[in-house]
Short mmCIF file of all heavy atoms in Angstrom, two decimals:
data_model
loop_
_atom_site.label_atom_id
_atom_site.label_comp_id
_atom_site.label_asym_id
_atom_site.label_seq_id
_atom_site.Cartn_x
_atom_site.Cartn_y
_atom_site.Cartn_z
N PHE B 1 -8.99 25.03 44.52
CA PHE B 1 -8.53 26.40 44.05
C PHE B 1 -9.17 27.51 44.86
O PHE B 1 -10.42 27.63 45.03
CB PHE B 1 -8.95 26.59 42.61
CG PHE B 1 -8.38 27.83 42.02
CD1 PHE B 1 -7.09 27.86 41.36
CD2 PHE B 1 -9.15 28.96 41.87
CE1 PHE B 1 -6.56 29.09 40.93
CE2 PHE B 1 -8.65 30.11 41.43
CZ PHE B 1 -7.40 30.14 40.84
N THR B 2 -8.19 28.34 45.51
CA THR B 2 -8.81 29.38 46.44
C THR B 2 -8.30 30.70 45.91
O THR B 2 -7.17 30.84 45.50
CB THR B 2 -8.16 29.16 47.77
OG1 THR B 2 -8.44 27.75 48.31
CG2 THR B 2 -8.64 30.11 48.73
N ARG B 3 -9.20 31.66 45.98
CA ARG B 3 -8.94 33.09 45.64
C ARG B 3 -9.07 33.95 46.87
O ARG B 3 -10.08 33.83 47.55
CB ARG B 3 -9.74 33.55 44.49
CG ARG B 3 -9.68 35.10 44.19
CD ARG B 3 -10.47 35.50 43.04
NE ARG B 3 -10.18 34.83 41.83
CZ ARG B 3 -10.84 34.89 40.74
NH1 ARG B 3 -11.98 35.68 40.68
NH2 ARG B 3 -10.39 34.38 39.67
N LYS B 4 -8.07 34.82 47.04
CA LYS B 4 -8.15 35.72 48.29
C LYS B 4 -7.85 37.11 47.79
O LYS B 4 -6.89 37.51 47.12
CB LYS B 4 -6.99 35.35 49.29
CG LYS B 4 -7.05 36.04 50.55
CD LYS B 4 -5.96 35.52 51.54
CE LYS B 4 -6.06 36.18 52.88
NZ LYS B 4 -4.97 35.85 53.79
N GLU B 5 -8.84 37.90 48.22
CA GLU B 5 -8.75 39.26 47.78
C GLU B 5 -8.67 40.29 48.93
O GLU B 5 -9.11 39.94 50.05
CB GLU B 5 -10.02 39.77 47.01
CG GLU B 5 -10.25 38.96 45.69
CD GLU B 5 -11.42 39.44 44.97
OE1 GLU B 5 -12.14 40.36 45.45
OE2 GLU B 5 -11.75 38.88 43.97
N THR B 6 -7.75 41.37 48.85
CA THR B 6 -7.66 42.33 49.85
C THR B 6 -7.80 43.66 49.10
O THR B 6 -8.02 43.70 47.96
CB THR B 6 -6.17 42.31 50.46
OG1 THR B 6 -5.09 42.61 49.40
CG2 THR B 6 -5.97 40.88 51.11
N GLU B 7 -7.58 44.71 50.01
CA GLU B 7 -7.92 46.11 49.42
C GLU B 7 -6.76 46.41 48.37
O GLU B 7 -7.06 47.18 47.47
CB GLU B 7 -7.90 47.16 50.53
CG GLU B 7 -9.16 47.11 51.48
CD GLU B 7 -9.08 48.11 52.50
OE1 GLU B 7 -8.10 48.82 52.46
OE2 GLU B 7 -10.03 48.17 53.37
N THR B 8 -5.63 45.81 48.57
CA THR B 8 -4.41 46.24 47.71
C THR B 8 -4.11 45.04 46.66
O THR B 8 -3.36 45.43 45.77
CB THR B 8 -3.26 46.59 48.54
OG1 THR B 8 -2.95 45.40 49.41
CG2 THR B 8 -3.62 47.65 49.52
N SER B 9 -4.53 43.83 46.97
CA SER B 9 -4.09 42.89 45.87
C SER B 9 -5.21 41.81 45.83
O SER B 9 -6.08 41.71 46.66
CB SER B 9 -2.83 42.15 46.39
OG SER B 9 -2.98 41.63 47.79
N GLU B 10 -4.85 40.90 44.96
CA GLU B 10 -5.83 39.78 44.76
C GLU B 10 -4.89 38.59 44.43
O GLU B 10 -4.04 38.57 43.50
CB GLU B 10 -6.72 40.02 43.48
CG GLU B 10 -7.73 38.89 43.25
CD GLU B 10 -8.62 39.13 42.12
OE1 GLU B 10 -8.94 40.41 41.86
OE2 GLU B 10 -8.96 38.17 41.49
N ASN B 11 -4.95 37.57 45.27
CA ASN B 11 -4.10 36.31 45.08
C ASN B 11 -5.06 35.09 44.94
O ASN B 11 -6.11 34.95 45.52
CB ASN B 11 -3.20 36.22 46.28
CG ASN B 11 -2.23 37.40 46.36
OD1 ASN B 11 -1.60 37.84 45.47
ND2 ASN B 11 -2.06 37.86 47.77
N SER B 12 -4.56 34.13 44.19
CA SER B 12 -5.13 32.79 44.14
C SER B 12 -3.98 31.66 44.30
O SER B 12 -2.96 31.97 43.76
CB SER B 12 -5.89 32.87 42.77
OG SER B 12 -5.02 32.89 41.67
N TYR B 13 -4.49 30.61 44.80
CA TYR B 13 -3.59 29.50 44.87
C TYR B 13 -4.40 28.23 44.92
O TYR B 13 -5.63 28.18 45.24
CB TYR B 13 -2.69 29.67 46.21
CG TYR B 13 -3.51 29.77 47.35
CD1 TYR B 13 -3.81 28.71 48.25
CD2 TYR B 13 -3.93 31.13 47.89
CE1 TYR B 13 -4.58 28.83 49.34
CE2 TYR B 13 -4.62 31.21 49.10
CZ TYR B 13 -5.01 30.07 49.71
OH TYR B 13 -5.76 30.23 50.89
N LYS B 14 -3.62 27.17 44.51
CA LYS B 14 -4.08 25.79 44.70
C LYS B 14 -3.82 25.18 45.93
O LYS B 14 -2.71 25.44 46.56
CB LYS B 14 -3.72 25.03 43.48
CG LYS B 14 -4.15 25.53 42.06
CD LYS B 14 -3.45 24.54 41.11
CE LYS B 14 -3.88 25.10 39.64
NZ LYS B 14 -3.21 24.37 38.53
N SER B 15 -4.69 24.19 46.26
CA SER B 15 -4.37 23.55 47.60
C SER B 15 -4.62 22.09 47.28
O SER B 15 -5.58 21.57 46.60
CB SER B 15 -5.18 23.96 48.84
OG SER B 15 -6.67 23.72 48.33
N ILE B 16 -3.70 21.20 47.80
CA ILE B 16 -3.83 19.75 47.65
C ILE B 16 -3.70 19.22 49.12
O ILE B 16 -2.87 19.46 49.86
CB ILE B 16 -2.74 19.19 46.78
CG1 ILE B 16 -2.90 19.70 45.52
CG2 ILE B 16 -2.87 17.64 46.79
CD1 ILE B 16 -1.88 19.35 44.46
N ASP B 17 -4.62 18.35 49.53
CA ASP B 17 -4.65 17.74 50.75
C ASP B 17 -4.64 16.20 50.55
O ASP B 17 -5.40 15.70 49.65
CB ASP B 17 -5.87 17.92 51.57
CG ASP B 17 -5.95 19.56 51.98
OD1 ASP B 17 -4.85 20.00 52.23
OD2 ASP B 17 -7.10 20.12 51.92
N ALA B 18 -3.89 15.52 51.37
CA ALA B 18 -3.74 14.02 51.31
C ALA B 18 -3.62 13.43 52.74
O ALA B 18 -2.97 14.14 53.48
CB ALA B 18 -2.61 13.51 50.44
N THR B 19 -4.45 12.41 52.96
CA THR B 19 -4.28 11.87 54.32
C THR B 19 -4.33 10.31 54.27
O THR B 19 -5.08 9.72 53.49
CB THR B 19 -5.79 12.20 55.10
OG1 THR B 19 -5.83 13.66 55.17
CG2 THR B 19 -5.64 11.63 56.45
N ILE B 20 -3.42 9.74 55.05
CA ILE B 20 -3.27 8.29 55.00
C ILE B 20 -3.55 7.78 56.51
O ILE B 20 -2.97 8.30 57.32
CB ILE B 20 -1.86 7.73 54.57
CG1 ILE B 20 -1.63 8.10 53.13
CG2 ILE B 20 -1.72 6.32 54.84
CD1 ILE B 20 -0.16 7.82 52.72
N THR B 21 -4.61 6.96 56.64
CA THR B 21 -4.92 6.47 57.81
C THR B 21 -4.75 4.88 57.95
O THR B 21 -5.23 4.27 57.08
CB THR B 21 -6.32 6.78 58.21
OG1 THR B 21 -6.52 8.23 58.07
CG2 THR B 21 -6.75 6.36 59.74
N LEU B 22 -3.91 4.52 59.02
CA LEU B 22 -3.71 3.01 59.25
C LEU B 22 -4.37 2.77 60.49
O LEU B 22 -4.21 3.29 61.54
CB LEU B 22 -2.25 2.79 59.24
CG LEU B 22 -1.91 1.42 59.54
CD1 LEU B 22 -2.33 0.34 58.39
CD2 LEU B 22 -0.38 1.17 59.71
N LYS B 23 -5.21 1.66 60.35
CA LYS B 23 -6.02 1.25 61.56
C LYS B 23 -5.67 -0.23 61.74
O LYS B 23 -5.64 -1.02 60.80
CB LYS B 23 -7.54 1.48 61.46
CG LYS B 23 -7.90 2.82 61.19
CD LYS B 23 -9.42 2.95 60.92
CE LYS B 23 -9.99 4.34 60.82
NZ LYS B 23 -11.43 4.40 60.56
N GLN B 24 -5.54 -0.64 63.01
CA GLN B 24 -5.22 -1.99 63.35
C GLN B 24 -6.22 -2.39 64.55
O GLN B 24 -6.09 -1.77 65.57
CB GLN B 24 -3.81 -2.11 63.86
CG GLN B 24 -3.51 -3.58 64.40
CD GLN B 24 -3.79 -4.59 63.20
OE1 GLN B 24 -3.24 -4.63 62.25
NE2 GLN B 24 -4.53 -5.57 63.60
N MET B 25 -6.99 -3.39 64.36
CA MET B 25 -7.97 -3.85 65.39
C MET B 25 -7.12 -4.50 66.47
O MET B 25 -6.27 -5.47 66.27
CB MET B 25 -8.92 -4.83 64.77
CG MET B 25 -9.95 -5.26 65.74
SD MET B 25 -9.61 -6.55 66.78
CE MET B 25 -9.47 -7.91 65.65
N LEU B 26 -7.39 -4.05 67.68
CA LEU B 26 -6.68 -4.74 68.82
C LEU B 26 -7.64 -5.68 69.64
O LEU B 26 -7.27 -6.67 69.98
CB LEU B 26 -5.99 -3.70 69.79
CG LEU B 26 -4.93 -2.66 69.17
CD1 LEU B 26 -4.60 -1.59 70.22
CD2 LEU B 26 -3.79 -3.53 68.63
N PHE B 27 -8.83 -5.10 69.81
CA PHE B 27 -9.67 -6.06 70.42
C PHE B 27 -11.18 -5.49 70.17
O PHE B 27 -11.46 -4.22 70.19
CB PHE B 27 -9.49 -5.96 71.97
CG PHE B 27 -10.62 -6.74 72.82
CD1 PHE B 27 -10.43 -8.06 72.77
CD2 PHE B 27 -11.55 -6.14 73.45
CE1 PHE B 27 -11.33 -8.98 73.44
CE2 PHE B 27 -12.46 -6.89 74.25
CZ PHE B 27 -12.37 -8.35 74.19
N ASP B 28 -12.01 -6.35 69.56
CA ASP B 28 -13.31 -6.05 69.29
C ASP B 28 -14.29 -6.83 69.96
O ASP B 28 -15.57 -7.02 69.54
CB ASP B 28 -13.57 -6.13 67.71
CG ASP B 28 -13.32 -7.61 67.19
OD1 ASP B 28 -12.92 -8.49 67.99
OD2 ASP B 28 -13.60 -7.82 66.04
N GLY B 29 -13.93 -7.29 71.07
CA GLY B 29 -14.88 -8.21 72.03
C GLY B 29 -15.19 -9.55 71.36
O GLY B 29 -16.31 -9.98 71.38
N PHE B 30 -14.28 -10.07 70.79
CA PHE B 30 -14.23 -11.34 70.12
C PHE B 30 -15.19 -11.51 68.88
O PHE B 30 -15.52 -12.54 68.47
CB PHE B 30 -14.63 -12.40 71.17
CG PHE B 30 -13.73 -12.51 72.33
CD1 PHE B 30 -14.09 -11.97 73.47
CD2 PHE B 30 -12.43 -12.93 72.26
CE1 PHE B 30 -13.33 -11.86 74.63
CE2 PHE B 30 -11.59 -12.86 73.37
CZ PHE B 30 -11.96 -12.54 74.66
N LEU B 31 -15.50 -10.40 68.43
CA LEU B 31 -16.54 -10.42 67.22
C LEU B 31 -15.82 -11.10 66.06
O LEU B 31 -16.34 -11.98 65.25
CB LEU B 31 -16.93 -9.09 66.89
CG LEU B 31 -17.86 -8.37 67.80
CD1 LEU B 31 -18.15 -6.86 67.43
CD2 LEU B 31 -19.13 -9.21 68.06
N THR B 32 -14.46 -10.72 65.72
CA THR B 32 -13.93 -11.13 64.56
C THR B 32 -13.57 -12.73 64.69
O THR B 32 -13.87 -13.46 63.92
CB THR B 32 -12.54 -10.48 64.41
OG1 THR B 32 -12.86 -9.05 64.00
CG2 THR B 32 -11.83 -11.16 63.13
N SER B 33 -13.09 -13.02 65.87
CA SER B 33 -12.80 -14.54 66.14
C SER B 33 -14.00 -15.32 66.04
O SER B 33 -14.02 -16.56 65.57
CB SER B 33 -12.02 -14.64 67.55
OG SER B 33 -12.86 -14.19 68.54
N SER B 34 -15.08 -14.84 66.69
CA SER B 34 -16.33 -15.68 66.66
C SER B 34 -17.01 -15.85 65.20
O SER B 34 -17.37 -16.82 64.97
CB SER B 34 -17.44 -14.92 67.54
OG SER B 34 -16.90 -14.81 68.86
N GLU B 35 -16.82 -14.59 64.41
CA GLU B 35 -17.21 -14.73 63.08
C GLU B 35 -16.45 -15.78 62.30
O GLU B 35 -17.08 -16.51 61.53
CB GLU B 35 -17.30 -13.40 62.44
CG GLU B 35 -17.76 -13.46 60.99
CD GLU B 35 -19.18 -13.84 60.70
OE1 GLU B 35 -20.00 -13.96 61.73
OE2 GLU B 35 -19.38 -14.07 59.52
N LYS B 36 -15.20 -15.74 62.48
CA LYS B 36 -14.21 -16.62 61.83
C LYS B 36 -14.58 -18.18 62.13
O LYS B 36 -14.61 -19.03 61.33
CB LYS B 36 -12.87 -16.27 61.99
CG LYS B 36 -11.90 -17.21 61.18
CD LYS B 36 -10.43 -16.83 61.40
CE LYS B 36 -9.46 -17.79 60.74
NZ LYS B 36 -8.06 -17.38 60.90
#
């Protein structure tokens, strides 16, 4: 929730942020294959 004030007015508003991150291992120096 954000409130912004100026000399002539006062405003407030809500903010919603969402982030989706997809990661795919391409090469990890054979760490995964070695561990498996």
Side-chain angles (χ1 to χ4, degrees):
F1 183 81
T2 303
R3 174 179 295 178
K4 187 176 182 180
E5 297 183 3
T6 64
E7 294 180 355
T8 58
S9 64
E10 180 178 331
N11 298 313
S12 60
Y13 55 90
K14 296 179 180 178
S15 62
I16 299 177
D17 296 321
T19 304
I20 297 178
T21 305
L22 178 63
K23 298 179 181 178
Q24 173 63 60
M25 186 274 292
L26 298 178
F27 181 71
D28 62 354
F30 303 108
L31 292 178
T32 298
S33 59
S34 298
E35 177 62 15
K36 184 177 180 180

